């Protein structure tokens, strides 16, 4: 077999929207929008510098819903640049850029092969140095946005050919429940077709599902939300004389997404906590000095800082300050090393003995035991969630939104609810103990009881509507400032 080299990429999503960042400063928003184009430029550079013989792209070059003229023109420009270096391109269309979607009506250049949607097409790839045939490349595009049949079963090797066979497929292998089941198939299906390399697209997380033959998701070339953390890029694949493939991953992203855990254990006050966050920001900056980073901090642990985070607005204040500093960097075009704090996920709790509370013969103890049982059982979690969310199901829009919530998100809701219960109900026990021990006149008792109800989220009857509305509005604003905006569903594109 003649040795050769090719580049495998997928899910470019050029000029598509970034999830949950609508309120960004203009300078940062513009840089994020440009990042998919910058990643495409890096892809072309890698293909040229690595002297690849050809490039395969496994679907979702852009999103039809966001298919800007600029995105399509920039992609055509990239294809032309590859053509100048004699690098052929083989590509398919996926669920986000199906063949029936609107696009520029231009013919593909001679060095570009776009496979159709009726059945897997085949084309021969050649080595650049001498023009010798080295591989048969097969692929099938999505004719429409939703392809639910197993198109992998339509792939067939070219009869009598000893060339290396590469298949381009945009689909969900082994029914990953977190992603749309488009073009569903199994690894067994792919292995059984006799191909030497499966160049997959659709899942944005980089994965090698099988070593021999290689069944490969390269992931997308640029992360677009906190669901798409870590390095993003493409694979350069070397095939030797024995037909064995060696894969090397190349990073292409210019904006890197992170989720970092930060524990409040041992932190005495807000000042120490703010210092710990600022130090974590600088650690990200030092680790990725050439990239812009977007980071969400998961605040975990138990301690005295919890109340300040949950009730006093410490998290929203620090978030605003961190973002202000980075916005100044962006105005100076200092994007390399910029660290944008996207938000804080509050998963902290009071410094209590949760094990003791679980054993209590009390409402709080029973609630924590129920939460614990639901955490251990997916069926139990679904039953609890169905019961709790039933009143919301009357709204069509809320039903649609809740249908896309992942099991991990529901588990997070459950844990946060349990911690809120501890904060509120443990606080009630403290107030009640103080009342019984201190006595006092009836007016003092009434005031304490009213405070007790307020702390527990129970509004006294004599509160007027204006005070309730004002307090509710302020609390809503605080929650929105601290809670990260809901991101896109899953890693599939």
């Amino acid at each position: 077999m003649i040795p050769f080299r090719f580049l495998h990429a997928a899910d470019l999503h050029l000029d598509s929207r970034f999830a949950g960042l609508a309120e960004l400063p203009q300078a940062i928003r513009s840089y994020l929008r440009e990042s998919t184009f910058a990643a495409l430029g890096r892809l072309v550079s890698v293909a040229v510098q690595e002297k690849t013989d050809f490039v395969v792209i496994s679907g979702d070059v852009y999103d039809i819903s966001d298919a800007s003229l600029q995105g399509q023109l920039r992609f055509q420009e990239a294809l032309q640049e590859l053509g100048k270096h004699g690098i052929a391109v083989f590509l398919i269309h996926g669920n986000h850029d199906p063949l029936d979607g609107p696009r520029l009506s231009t013919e593909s250049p001679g060095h570009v092969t776009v496979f159709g949607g009726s059945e897997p097409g085949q084309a021969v790839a050649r080595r650049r140095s001498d023009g010798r045939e080295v591989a048969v490349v097969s692929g099938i595009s999505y004719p429409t946005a939703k392809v639910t049949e197993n198109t992998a079963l339509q792939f067939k090797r070219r009869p009598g050919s000893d060339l290396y066979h590469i298949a381009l497929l945009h689909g969900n292998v082994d029914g990953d429940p977190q992603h749309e089941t488009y073009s569903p198939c199994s690894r067994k299906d792919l292995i059984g077709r006799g191909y030497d390399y499966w160049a997959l697209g659709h899942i944005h997380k980089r994965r090698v599902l099988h070593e021999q033959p290689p069944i490969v998701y390269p992931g997308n070339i640029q992360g677009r939300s906190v669901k798409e953390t870590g390095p993003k890029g493409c694979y350069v694949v070397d095939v030797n004389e024995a037909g064995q493939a060696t894969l090397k991953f190349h990073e292409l992203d210019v904006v890197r997404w992170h989720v970092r855990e930060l524990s409040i254990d041992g932190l005495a006050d807000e000042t120490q906590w703010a210092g710990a966050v600022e130090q974590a920001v600088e650690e990200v900056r030092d680790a990725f000095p050439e990239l812009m980073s977007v980071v969400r901090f998961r605040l975990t642990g138990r301690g005295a800082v919890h109340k300040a985070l949950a009730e006093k607005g410490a998290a929203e204040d620090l978030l605003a300050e961190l973002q202000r500093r980075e916005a100044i960097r962006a105005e100076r075009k200092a994007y390399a090393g910029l660290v944008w704090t996207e938000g804080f996920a509050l998963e902290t709790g009071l410094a209590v003995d949760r094990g003791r509370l679980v054993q209590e013969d009390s409402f709080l103890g029973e609630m924590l035991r129920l939460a614990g049982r639901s955490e251990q059982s997916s069926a139990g979690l679904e039953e609890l969630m169905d019961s709790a969310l039933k009143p919301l199901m009357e709204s069509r829009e809320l039903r649609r939104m809740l249908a896309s919530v992942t099991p991990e998100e529901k588990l997070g809701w459950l844990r946060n609810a349990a911690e809120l219960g501890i904060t509120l109900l443990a606080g009630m026990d403290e107030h009640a103990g103080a009342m019984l021990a201190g006595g006092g006149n009836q007016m003092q008792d009434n005031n304490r009881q009213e405070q007790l109800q307020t702390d527990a989220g129970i509004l006294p009857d004599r509160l007027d509507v204006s005070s309730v509305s004002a307090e509710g509005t302020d609390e809503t604003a605080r929650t929105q400032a601290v809670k990260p905006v809901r991101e896109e569903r899953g890693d599939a594109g």
Side-chain angles (χ1 to χ4, degrees), residues 117-337:
S118 58
E119 62 182 8
Q122 292 187 341
V124 174
R126 299 175 182 274
R127 192 164 65 176
R128 289 169 58 198
S129 60
D130 55 14
R132 297 178 67 183
E133 295 183 351
V134 293
V136 174
V137 183
S138 302
I140 184 170
S141 291
Y142 279 45
T144 61
K146 293 185 178 181
V147 174
T148 56
E149 66 267 23
N150 185 350
T151 55
L153 298 180
Q154 300 179 37
F155 282 78
K156 298 177 182 178
R157 285 183 65 97
R158 175 174 289 189
S161 175
D162 294 327
L163 295 177
Y164 194 84
H165 278 57
I166 301 170
L168 276 62
L169 179 68
H170 193 86
N172 190 334
V173 179
D174 287 341
D176 190 324
Q178 295 188 23
H179 311 298
E180 300 94 335
T181 53
Y182 295 146
S183 191
C185 59
S186 67
R187 273 177 284 188
K188 184 178 179 181
D189 292 334
L190 303 187
I191 295 169
R193 306 318 295 169
Y195 276 73
D196 300 300
Y197 185 98
W198 282 90
L200 303 179
H202 184 53
I203 306 300
H204 291 185
K205 186 175 181 179
R206 175 166 43 110
R207 302 175 184 174
V208 177
L209 301 182
H210 196 264
E211 297 287 345
Q212 195 59 263
I215 301 176
V216 182
Y217 282 113
N220 52 342
I221 64 172
Q222 171 59 62
R224 298 175 302 149
S225 80
V226 76
K227 287 285 188 180
E228 299 177 351
T229 58
K232 298 294 181 179
C234 65
Y235 279 110
V236 170
V237 184
D238 281 297
V239 179
N240 64 17
E241 294 88 343
Q244 296 174 331
T246 302
L247 283 67
K248 182 179 179 182
F249 182 73
H250 288 259
E251 297 177 5
L252 302 176
D253 52 341
V254 297
V255 178
R256 185 72 51 83
W257 294 75
H258 311 267
V259 175
R260 293 293 178 94
E261 181 176 345
L262 185 62
S263 175
I264 67 169
D265 291 346
L267 300 180
D269 52 34
E270 296 171 47
T271 301
Q272 287 190 6
W273 171 73
V277 173
E278 290 174 329
Q279 179 180 341
V281 168
E282 294 308 314
E283 289 173 354
V284 173
R285 198 187 316 277
D286 292 342
F288 305 97
E290 302 302 320
L291 300 176
M292 174 180 165
S293 298
V294 183
V295 59
R296 174 183 295 182
F297 288 105
R298 288 182 55 240
L299 305 180
T300 62
R302 296 183 178 278
V305 181
H306 170 72
K307 274 209 166 187
L309 298 177
E311 299 175 9
K312 293 175 60 178
E316 70 183 47
D317 291 342
L318 182 58
L319 179 63
E321 175 58 20
L322 293 173
Q323 292 181 344
R324 183 192 68 82
R325 297 173 189 174
E326 301 305 310
I328 293 174
R329 292 177 65 98
E331 290 172 0
R332 301 198 304 262
K333 307 299 182 183
Y335 296 106

